[in-house]
Structure formats: C-alpha cells, structure tokens
Amino acid sequence: MTTSGPSPAAPPAAPKVAFDFDHGNFIRDLITTNGGGGFPPAEAIAPGDTPVYTWITLQFQLAWFDALAPYHPTAQGVHSRIARRPAGESATNRNKNIAGLYASYQVVKAVFEERAPVMRMAMTAFGLDPDDDSLDPATPVGIGNTAGQAVVAAHHDDGMNPRGDRGRAYHPRPYADYTGYAPRNTAYALTDPTRWQPALGPHQRRVGGGPGDKGVYTVQQFLTPQLRLVTPLTYQDPAAFPLAAPAHLDPGTPDVYRDAVDEVLAASAALSDEQKVKAEFFEHSPVSLTWAPRAAALAHDLDLDGWAHLFATTALARFDNLIAVWHHKHAHDAVRPFSAVRHVHGDSPVTAWGGPGRGTVTDLPAGQWSGYLPPGPHPEYPSAFTTLCSAQAQAARRFLGDDVLDWTHAIPAGTAQTEPGLVPAGDLKLTWETWTDFENDCAASRVWAGVAFPATTRHSIPFGAQFGDLAHDFIQRHIDGDTGH
C-alpha cells in the first residue's frame, strides 16, 4: 500500500499578454492605462459618487504603497509592517510589480467586487495566479496579499458603512446614512433660504439632460452624510479645522445674498464652450482627479516607487480633506444656487443659459433656471470638488517640489454630455501647465456649472490645501521610516 503526498504546485500559467515585469510599472502601464487613466476606470463610477470613489481609490493607492514598502530602503507601510526585503530583490521592478498587483486584487475583492472577475482575467493574462492566497512575507505574492488585506481591514469599519449594516439587521443598504440627517427644506418648499434644499430631478438622467424614465422624478438625499464621522489618518478631529460661515448667504444681509445669486446668473449667461466642457470634466472625478497625478508622474519621469508614493500622497489628501468638508457641509447645511435664484427672483425674467441647445436667454423665468449641470446631492458649502482639487494640488506640489503639471487633455467636437453634438463646436484641448492653473479652473468650473457660488469656491481653495500639507507630511514620514514604530 502506498500513500501519496500533496500534489506538486502547478507551474505558473504562461503569460498571454506581454508585460515587462522587470522594467515595467504596473501603475503606469497596466492599472491607470487600462483604467482610462484612473482606477477604478472612469466608466465604473458615476460622477455623483465622489465620496465612495475617493474612499475606494484611497484603499487601492495605500495598498500599492504598503506592497512596495518592504522593497524600499526605508519605507514602512501605512497599515502593515512587513519586514524589509534584501536589496537584491528590488534590483528590478519584478517583485514590486507582482506585489502591487496582488495587493490591488485584495482590495478589488473587498470593496469593488463587481470588477474582481475583470482583474482575475487580467492577472491570468499576465501569467499570475489570482487564486494564490499566500501570506508568505518572503515572497512578492505573500507581501502583496498581506498589504492589501491590511489596508482593507483598516478601512472595513471606519465609519463609511460600505456593507450598509450600521443600525440595520436586515436588508442592508451599502453606504447609506445612519446618522439620521434630515434637510430643513423639502424639494417642494424653501422655508429657510440659507439651508440646503434637495433637488427634484429625473430618476435617470440621459445624455442631453432628458429624463430616462419619463414622468418618474426623485428627491435628492444627502450623499453619505456619515462621511464626516469616518476616521481620518492625518488628524484626529475635523472640527479642529475651522471654516467661517458663508457670509454671502447671511439672511441679515439680503443685498449680499442677492449679489451672490446674480454672480451665478452672470456666469450662466456668459458660458463658452470651453467653460461648459471644463464644468463636465471636473464633475467627473474618476477622470479629473486621478488622471492629474498620472500626468504629473509622467511629466516628472518618476520611477515605480515615485508613482506609488505620489498616488498615495494625493489619494490621502483627497480623502482626509473630504471628511472635514463633509463635517462643514453638515454644520452649515448651505443652500444651492438653484434654490437661491428662485428665492431672490421668483418668476421674474433673468438672463442666463436656457438649457441644452438654447444658448443664452434674456427673458428666462428665474423659477425655471437650472445650472449647466445638476446640483450635487449635498449642501453647497464648502465646495467639495474645489477642495479635492486644491488638496491634491498642494500634496503634489509638496511631493514633487514644484508646481509643474504639464497636462493636455483632448475633447473632440460634439462630445459634451449636456449638449451632445453641439458642444464643443470644434475640437478642444484643455491644458494645465501648473497645478495652480488646474485648481483655479476646478474652482471656477463649479460656478460655470451653476452649482456653487463664487465666494464658496474662494473659501474652499485654502481650506482644501491644508490637507495636502498634512497628507504629504504623513506619507513622507512613512517613506522615511519615521513612524515611531
């Protein structure tokens, strides 16, 4: 009688897609390229899902950082403490690329599971085994799996409620509010003109602005109000970052309130094709937010470690900023321009953009005015997109040591979402030589979109920038190994 031992491990699958593991860069060549410039890919996240998108991308990019840390001379992971590997193991990028891909896969399975089959196929195509669940800290597969799982575990119950089971034993609602927030106004009555009013809009919005389900309209709900309670990494309490109340919305100064409204209408009346395109561009965070660090990394010819470190720095700046932004959005609960325009002007005629294909209208009833883009499902002050852009810009400036972005993005004629076939009238190239240009356009785009007041964006730029500084200092300490552990 003979007994057989365990079957020998199957040899690695032959790669079906060429990738130079020794000299390539998985972030540059695989993830951000195949994801259209960012991960998750741009088409996988709706423009209005910015808090969820920012939470997901933070985990991916911290997982990359942690997976590469053991191969760096000094770095320590943010959420893992994997022993440093011999210098010879980082003589090429092979081990780093393998570790980074396995770390990514652990995050995909946990927080973006609908994309897991796609990544499984990709890993197999590159000759990797997606079912290899080794945690051996002496191998790149084990390092990647350990790093990815550590990041997922750290954010599993950070307050974002991804499982939707906070306060619910049955029928979970992923990312749903558990704080009990209720708006002061309804979609049908503005009883307090300083407070947020949920918008009423089509159940599904088609390209061109038309309703998808005709006759079916829904009322906005504050998107993830629990975000203000999520645990940040770079500070303790979002209340420690004061933000003055929006004086332009003070009911005690009606002339100032009216001037703020009229600034938005003036911008609406003067919209150019370039402004319309930029409004849409910055609205789509998977494009505008994560393609910018990619452009900067290319402009500065960063190595693989540099890509991982820049992406971790900017991702952390964006998310920790957003926690504080949501704290103040909840505290100030500020009205959006669409409500304020109707409050100030009623049905009196105004001059403004008249809707898709109509251009500027000089006798538009104020009560029928809408911005070029729908308002976000959350209070207006501070401007989330403006702070995200400024936080990221400051983080990148600190990390790179200069203000250079050097990014040109092409927009073919007629490809705007709000006015397809019409805008832009000809091919456009959007160019940002510096991060300062980028964040200023980002701020202005919120006014062009008709979703924020100019004064709000002016306050939001410096508010966001401080989180860029915090994120840079935090990640730099981990790069230097100066974490106190």
Side-chain angles (χ1 to χ4, degrees), residues 304-352:
L304 177 53
D305 283 334
W307 277 71
H309 297 168
L310 173 62
F311 272 66
T313 302
T314 53
L316 181 56
R318 294 192 303 261
F319 191 71
D320 272 13
N321 158 78
L322 216 55
I323 294 171
V325 166
W326 249 244
H327 168 83
H328 286 290
K329 279 185 178 289
H330 178 266
H332 297 295
D333 200 35
V335 67
R336 288 276 183 182
F338 80 92
S339 303
V341 166
R342 296 169 188 175
H343 172 70
V344 168
H345 291 290
D347 278 325
S348 298
V350 296
T351 300

Side-chain angles (χ1 to χ4, degrees), residues 11-16 19 21 30 94 97-102 119-132 140-141:
K16 301 176 184 177
F19 173 63
F21 276 89
L30 301 179
R94 175 169 293 272
N97 281 316
I98 293 172
L101 288 170
Y102 275 91
M119 189 156 187
R120 282 185 62 86
M121 290 189 292
M123 292 181 73
T124 301
F126 299 134
L128 303 177
D129 178 8
D131 294 318
D132 188 342
V141 174

Side-chain angles (χ1 to χ4, degrees), residues 95-408:
N95 291 322
K96 296 178 184 179
N97 281 316
I98 293 172
L101 288 170
Y102 275 91
S104 296
Y105 187 49
Q106 294 300 319
V107 177
V108 167
K109 291 190 295 182
V111 301
F112 206 31
E113 58 185 352
E114 61 267 36
R115 300 292 296 184
V118 176
M119 189 156 187
R120 282 185 62 86
M121 290 189 292
M123 292 181 73
T124 301
F126 299 134
L128 303 177
D129 178 8
D131 294 318
D132 188 342
D133 58 2
S134 169
L135 297 177
D136 183 351
T139 68
V141 174
I143 288 171
N145 286 335
T146 300
Q149 290 179 16
V151 171
V152 168
H155 294 272
H156 179 73
D157 195 29
D158 64 0
M160 195 64 176
N161 196 27
R163 299 179 305 280
D165 56 2
R166 285 276 184 119
R168 298 181 66 87
Y170 307 100
H171 303 295
R173 297 176 180 173
Y175 301 101
D177 177 30
Y178 54 82
T179 69
Y181 170 85
R184 184 76 59 89
N185 299 300
T186 72
Y188 308 99
L190 186 73
T191 56
D192 185 338
T194 69
R195 298 284 187 159
W196 181 59
Q197 180 182 33
L200 181 66
H203 178 244
Q204 293 181 344
R205 191 173 181 87
R206 290 192 188 277
V207 171
D213 297 334
K214 292 180 173 59
V216 179
Y217 293 85
T218 57
V219 174
Q220 285 181 334
Q221 297 187 32
F222 190 168
L223 179 64
T224 60
Q226 72 274 13
L227 176 56
R228 72 186 193 276
L229 305 178
V230 170
T231 304
L233 292 179
T234 62
Y235 57 88
Q236 296 294 320
D237 183 0
F241 301 92
L243 181 66
H248 52 291
L249 301 177
D250 186 344
T253 54
D255 289 345
V256 173
Y257 187 112
R258 184 186 185 95
D259 288 346
V261 165
D262 288 345
E263 282 186 290
V264 173
L265 290 173
S268 176
L271 284 175
S272 66
D273 277 12
E274 182 173 345
Q275 290 171 339
K276 292 175 180 179
V277 167
K278 285 181 176 179
E280 290 188 356
F281 176 85
F282 283 104
E283 177 85 0
H284 206 329
S285 53
V287 176
S288 59
L289 292 179
T290 52
W291 288 20
R294 186 180 197 277
L298 291 170
H300 290 80
D301 194 24
L302 300 182
D303 61 12
L304 177 53
D305 283 334
W307 277 71
H309 297 168
L310 173 62
F311 272 66
T313 302
T314 53
L316 181 56
R318 294 192 303 261
F319 191 71
D320 272 13
N321 158 78
L322 216 55
I323 294 171
V325 166
W326 249 244
H327 168 83
H328 286 290
K329 279 185 178 289
H330 178 266
H332 297 295
D333 200 35
V335 67
R336 288 276 183 182
F338 80 92
S339 303
V341 166
R342 296 169 188 175
H343 172 70
V344 168
H345 291 290
D347 278 325
S348 298
V350 296
T351 300
W353 176 70
R358 292 181 178 271
T360 300
V361 176
T362 58
D363 57 354
L364 172 69
Q368 296 179 30
W369 176 81
S370 291
Y372 190 76
L373 297 178
H378 41 80
E380 188 262 359
Y381 184 85
S383 166
F385 276 101
T386 302
T387 64
L388 285 165
C389 290
S390 65
Q392 172 165 272
Q394 180 63 7
R397 281 189 289 257
R398 291 286 307 282
F399 179 83
L400 297 167
D402 60 42
D403 196 28
V404 175
L405 177 55
D406 190 21
W407 185 18
T408 297

Side-chain angles (χ1 to χ4, degrees), residues 380-463:
E380 188 262 359
Y381 184 85
S383 166
F385 276 101
T386 302
T387 64
L388 285 165
C389 290
S390 65
Q392 172 165 272
Q394 180 63 7
R397 281 189 289 257
R398 291 286 307 282
F399 179 83
L400 297 167
D402 60 42
D403 196 28
V404 175
L405 177 55
D406 190 21
W407 185 18
T408 297
H409 185 73
I411 307 291
T415 57
Q417 296 293 298
T418 302
E419 298 182 283
L422 299 174
V423 175
D427 294 345
L428 278 181
K429 286 187 177 180
L430 308 181
T431 299
W432 298 280
E433 296 292 341
T434 67
W435 283 102
T436 299
D437 296 337
F438 181 80
E439 67 183 344
N440 287 336
D441 263 3
C442 179
S445 77
R446 314 321 299 148
V447 181
W448 299 330
V451 299
F453 298 100
T456 291
T457 63
R458 289 193 294 269
H459 283 84
S460 297
I461 290 177
F463 184 79

